[in-house]
Amino acid sequence: MKKNQTQTYYGSYLQLDKLLGAQSPKSLEIGNEAHEEMLFIIVHQAYELWFKQILHDLEFIKNIFTKNQILDEELSECTLKLERIHKIQGLLLAQIDVLETMTPMDFLEFRDLLIPASGFQSVQFREIEIGLGLNENQRPDLKQYNFMGRLNKEDQSNLKNLMEEKSLFSLIEKWLERTPFLKDQKFDFWSEYKAAVAKMLENDKAIIESNDTLEEEQKVSQLKNLEITEKTFEALLDESIHQQFVTDGKKKLSHTATQAALFILLYRHEPILSQPFRLLNGLMTLDSNFTTWRYRHAQLAKRMLGTKIGTGGSSGHKYLRATADRNKIFEDLNDLSTFLIPKSALPGLPQELKKKLNFYFSGN
Ligand code: HEM
């Protein structure tokens, strides 16, 4: 590390003059200060600072995943960054509690001064969504709520450029598609998995049919439910059905990447797969945490506004609830839980492959 030539001073290093001079309540500006507006500004600013850190860490992860080959230590660094983002998400959630110490009546004191500004215009929030891989046609009622129209030309153009770049989702998809081990001369994961699933479902059917404690009607109903499960598995096992789901926007992850993700989740106890598993798990947590925040934020809007519209002109709580339901990025990974089978039913791995999946001490 190079030596520092000037003496560092706390306030100037952190540029506190700028940071602490950046709170200008609108109510004060018009000569009728609303005490709570300071809290409103500071909480939003703190959010934007944390968004900046999240983007910084996501950039780090994306840079690594842009490479064609990713080393184990790099994977581990990415997982650490993801785990940090989870902690930040915890802070983002907790800040809503702080904001809720402001009552809805207090908020009304300055709310109208904010129109038409709104969280709709948080460019960094959009950068996170787009950078992670949220599809634009995934957003609720695009025509009515198109956020782009609420941004200035420069922000619009920056976000459009970002949409052209590879998202974390697509980079992870490519990485999964490159997963080795799934097929060699002695082992074909997909056909072994298919056979294991067929055996499991046959077994489930036999259990229902031979269960004397069930009335005939109950048996028929349970067998019907089992048929639905079979159809769900069919949609995963048959590549063309899966591909149709992707085309229809019901699924995002390619069939090859889905197979690899399932392999990693099922055989996560094999040493080499533990890092990839932690990474996938980290992505699922990241997505769930944002969904939790979206629900919590929708509740906050309801508490503050009731059924009033937002300052950005949306239906408020209703719109925000819809984003919580729809704006998910790694949902396909979470959905893979449907296809997990008990460890005892897992196809055994050939010795050679088991060896490859183990760690080796390569010293003398
Ligand atoms: C009194 C507190 C708050 C209320 C009543 C509120 C309400 C709303 C409403 C109604 C919307 C929908 C757009 C609109 O019509 O304006 C919205 C969007 C948004 N708000 Fe808040 N909000 C509050 C605090 C916050 C805070 C502290 C943040 C942190 C940055 C935030 C971030 C966002 C974001 C990112 C959106 C866009 C969501 C999306 O389109 O998916 N909000 N907010």
Side-chain angles (χ1 to χ4, degrees):
M1 195 193 283
K2 276 191 185 164
K3 277 221 164 144
N4 186 12
Q5 300 300 331
T6 53
Q7 222 180 22
T8 314
Y9 187 68
Y10 181 86
S12 37
Y13 175 64
L14 297 174
Q15 302 193 36
L16 291 183
D17 50 344
K18 280 191 207 156
L19 198 62
L20 302 178
Q23 294 73 33
S24 316
K26 281 271 171 196
S27 58
L28 186 64
E29 209 176 289
I30 60 159
N32 189 16
E33 187 179 5
H35 179 84
E36 302 297 290
E37 196 181 346
M38 182 62 87
L39 174 79
F40 186 81
I41 294 173
I42 288 180
V43 168
H44 278 83
Q45 288 179 335
Y47 264 94
E48 291 293 339
L49 281 176
W50 285 123
F51 287 163
K52 185 167 184 175
Q53 180 63 41
I54 291 178
L55 285 166
H56 187 59
D57 286 330
L58 284 179
E59 195 58 27
F60 176 93
I61 300 173
K62 279 169 72 176
N63 279 341
I64 288 191
F65 275 86
T66 309
K67 300 180 188 177
N68 285 331
Q69 201 183 2
I70 299 161
L71 304 173
D72 278 338
E73 51 264 42
E74 292 174 321
L75 216 51
S76 159
E77 281 302 314
C78 289
T79 309
L80 284 173
K81 300 288 179 279
L82 273 180
E83 285 168 359
R84 175 191 294 150
I85 298 177
H86 300 159
K87 300 282 180 212
I88 296 175
Q89 289 177 310
L91 291 177
L92 298 185
L93 198 61
Q95 283 200 81
I96 293 187
D97 292 339
V98 180
L99 196 53
E100 277 180 344
T101 59
M102 170 179 81
T103 69
M105 287 286 281
D106 293 332
F107 182 46
L108 283 180
E109 283 301 307
F110 61 92
R111 172 185 180 263
D112 287 354
L113 301 174
L114 309 176
I115 297 170
S118 138
F120 256 158
Q121 295 168 331
S122 169
V123 173
Q124 290 201 105
F125 187 76
R126 299 304 175 207
E127 284 174 357
I128 293 174
E129 288 184 330
I130 298 166
L132 284 175
L134 185 75
N135 285 342
E136 287 315 298
N137 50 14
Q138 224 179 304
R139 297 185 188 274
D141 205 348
L142 260 186
K143 271 194 204 117
Q144 201 182 345
Y145 299 125
N146 184 3
F147 70 89
M148 276 292 192
R150 271 118 172 147
L151 297 175
N152 65 34
K153 291 276 173 280
E154 191 187 342
D155 288 339
Q156 285 188 20
S157 140
N158 288 341
L159 289 181
K160 277 184 188 146
N161 288 342
L162 188 62
M163 285 172 195
E164 300 303 316
E165 285 177 24
K166 287 209 168 83
S167 68
L168 182 62
F169 177 89
S170 62
L171 293 170
I172 294 284
E173 184 178 51
K174 286 283 161 290
W175 169 70
L176 282 169
E177 285 171 352
R178 295 195 303 267
T179 307
F181 315 124
L182 269 81
K183 194 171 182 172
D184 62 20
Q185 283 165 338
K186 291 209 176 118
F187 181 73
D188 177 354
F189 166 62
W190 206 233
S191 42
E192 298 269 359
Y193 174 75
K194 273 185 189 175
V197 167
K199 207 164 145 193
M200 182 183 78
L201 293 174
E202 253 170 50
N203 196 31
D204 288 353
K205 195 173 177 188
I207 290 174
I208 300 172
E209 281 171 345
S210 62
N211 187 345
D212 295 334
T213 64
L214 292 178
E215 304 271 340
E216 200 46 40
E217 219 174 283
Q218 289 172 313
K219 268 189 194 176
V220 172
S221 143
Q222 287 198 11
L223 286 169
K224 268 213 169 112
N225 285 340
L226 191 65
E227 264 174 42
I228 298 174
T229 311
E230 278 168 0
K231 284 252 172 304
T232 316
F233 270 97
E234 206 180 299
L236 169 83
L237 297 172
D238 185 325
E239 189 172 352
S240 61
I241 304 181
H242 184 97
Q243 186 48 48
Q244 191 57 48
F245 279 6
V246 173
T247 311
D248 297 345
K250 290 182 189 156
K251 291 223 171 280
K252 282 170 82 175
L253 204 59
S254 73
H255 196 248
T256 313
T258 304
Q259 285 184 22
L262 193 58
F263 178 75
I264 293 168
L265 296 190
L266 288 170
Y267 293 95
R268 69 183 162 84
H269 46 276
E270 300 296 338
I272 291 260
L273 298 179
S274 65
Q275 272 303 339
F277 169 73
R278 280 185 60 209
L279 186 102
L280 293 186
N281 214 28
L283 292 169
M284 290 188 247
T285 306
L286 178 96
D287 213 17
S288 305
N289 286 350
F290 273 128
T291 303
T292 308
W293 181 83
R294 285 182 195 275
Y295 278 117
R296 189 70 180 78
H297 172 250
Q299 268 318 106
L300 163 78
K302 190 168 194 188
R303 188 165 169 184
M304 291 292 169
L305 303 171
T307 52
K308 290 190 197 86
I309 61 165
T311 50
S314 81
S315 58
H317 172 257
K318 197 167 152 231
Y319 161 72
L320 295 171
R321 272 298 299 254
T323 66
D325 288 337
R326 295 176 59 105
N327 293 5
K328 296 172 186 168
I329 289 125
F330 295 99
E331 182 77 334
D332 286 355
L333 291 180
N334 278 315
D335 282 351
L336 284 181
S337 296
T338 316
F339 306 109
L340 298 182
I341 55 178
K343 203 171 164 190
S344 56
L346 272 185
L349 302 175
Q351 269 315 310
E352 242 167 78
L353 180 56
K354 263 192 102 59
K355 250 185 172 180
K356 280 189 195 161
L357 294 173
N358 218 327
F359 292 139
Y360 281 95
F361 177 60
S362 58
N364 291 326

